[in-house]
Amino acid sequence: MGLAERRVGASADVHANQLSTERTIYSRIDGIHAATKPGHRAFRGISAAEPAPSGAGEIKLPPSASLPVFTGRSFGEVARMRRSALDFLGGMQSMSLAQLSAILAVTAQPFSADFAGARFIQLYLYAHRVDGLQPGVYRFWPERAELEQIGVKTQRVAAAGLSLGQELAGNACVAFSMTGDLERAARAHGDRGYRYVHFEAGAIGQCMYLAAEALGLGATGIGAFYDEKVNRYLNLTPEQGQVIYHFAIGYPVPDLRLRA
Ligand SMILES: Cc1cc2nc3c(=O)[nH]c(=O)nc-3n(C[C@H](O)[C@H](O)[C@H](O)COP(=O)(O)O)c2cc1C
């Protein structure tokens, strides 16, 4: 399939769905938006943040350089091919630990952005089908490229259930909770820190979209999840952070809207 041909049809017979006839105002969301603007009195500018907590896990990730990654495609080709998976093939096909390692290595790269002087996001994994990795829940420690198993639970059902019952989080090979250290961000940046944490989660998500695409996998960002239930499932105290974003990576079901 040629790259130039694979795109969502944009001809006159294709129309976007109208999801709602009216706009609902959520005043608390507008309030948070206003409170976290740079001009707001609580904005303290960029100051040095306390370092992110460091830790270790019992599973050392294999070097991702060993993988024939980004197979001959340019960045532009990969970026244009990237689409959100509607769902994932939930069968037996698994991804390799080297693929997972490559995706996680990408999330640990420094960002060239003013909001990213310090990192506030922590990745938790719900590993469903990764070769050589026992299904379960893991915490990723980026400095050491290690995974710490924090529980062998019914993680596949949990990943979908916690993601507002969206089955794609259970059908993926691996799903993620990104948690954000909002308190440390607020100590460094005032109320503006709330946005920086979300910027960082979004940037990590887009890096994972591209890495998954480059590796022949698919990905979907998941913004719909049960915050409090996720925090409880991961045993997070407020000092450790709160869930900000979910994500899933696996083998996408074919999207018939994409034209070959
Ligand atoms: C922050 C964010 C949250 C999202 N949340 C969901 C979600 O909860 N469920 C879902 O099926 N897709 C979700 N998506 C995928 C979007 O539906 C998808 O990105 C959008 O339709 C545009 O398609 P594209 O990514 O292929 O360009 C999310 C994407 C982003 C970036």
Side-chain angles (χ1 to χ4, degrees), residues 141-210:
W141 291 106
E143 311 81 19
R144 305 169 64 107
E146 289 175 358
L147 294 178
E148 175 191 3
Q149 187 157 20
I150 62 163
V152 184
K153 306 180 187 174
T154 50
Q155 91 294 329
R156 212 174 76 81
V157 174
L162 294 171
S163 301
L164 222 70
Q166 297 184 84
E167 290 185 1
L168 82 174
N171 290 335
C173 293
V174 59
F176 297 85
S177 287
M178 291 187 215
T179 65
D181 190 340
L182 294 172
E183 296 195 357
R184 186 162 53 88
R187 284 196 293 276
H189 305 304
D191 290 347
R192 182 77 175 157
Y194 183 83
R195 283 214 213 181
Y196 288 163
V197 174
H198 288 78
F199 290 168
E200 183 186 333
I204 289 173
Q206 291 303 331
C207 290
M208 292 211 287
Y209 264 118
L210 294 173

Side-chain angles (χ1 to χ4, degrees), residues 33-181:
H33 181 78
T36 56
K37 279 185 170 169
H40 190 267
R41 60 185 160 72
F43 178 57
R44 294 206 295 267
I46 308 263
S47 60
E50 302 143 51
S54 61
E58 59 283 3
I59 298 162
K60 185 85 192 158
L61 288 163
S64 53
S66 63
L67 202 70
V69 68
F70 309 123
T71 43
R73 287 190 287 169
S74 69
F75 175 81
E77 287 173 310
V78 169
R80 284 196 295 276
M81 292 289 279
R82 181 214 69 82
R83 299 243 58 98
S84 292
L86 300 178
D87 196 355
F88 297 95
L89 301 171
M92 301 298 289
Q93 203 177 2
S94 53
M95 65 189 285
S96 70
L97 194 56
Q99 285 177 314
L100 178 63
S101 173
I103 290 166
L104 290 172
V106 164
T107 71
Q109 293 295 314
F111 292 122
S112 173
D114 57 1
F115 62 85
R119 300 298 287 260
F120 300 108
I121 294 292
Q122 175 79 56
L123 262 68
Y124 289 83
L125 289 71
Y126 304 76
H128 306 325
R129 294 187 318 281
V130 181
D131 290 337
L133 193 59
Q134 186 185 8
V137 184
Y138 297 84
R139 183 171 179 171
F140 174 51
W141 291 106
E143 311 81 19
R144 305 169 64 107
E146 289 175 358
L147 294 178
E148 175 191 3
Q149 187 157 20
I150 62 163
V152 184
K153 306 180 187 174
T154 50
Q155 91 294 329
R156 212 174 76 81
V157 174
L162 294 171
S163 301
L164 222 70
Q166 297 184 84
E167 290 185 1
L168 82 174
N171 290 335
C173 293
V174 59
F176 297 85
S177 287
M178 291 187 215
T179 65
D181 190 340

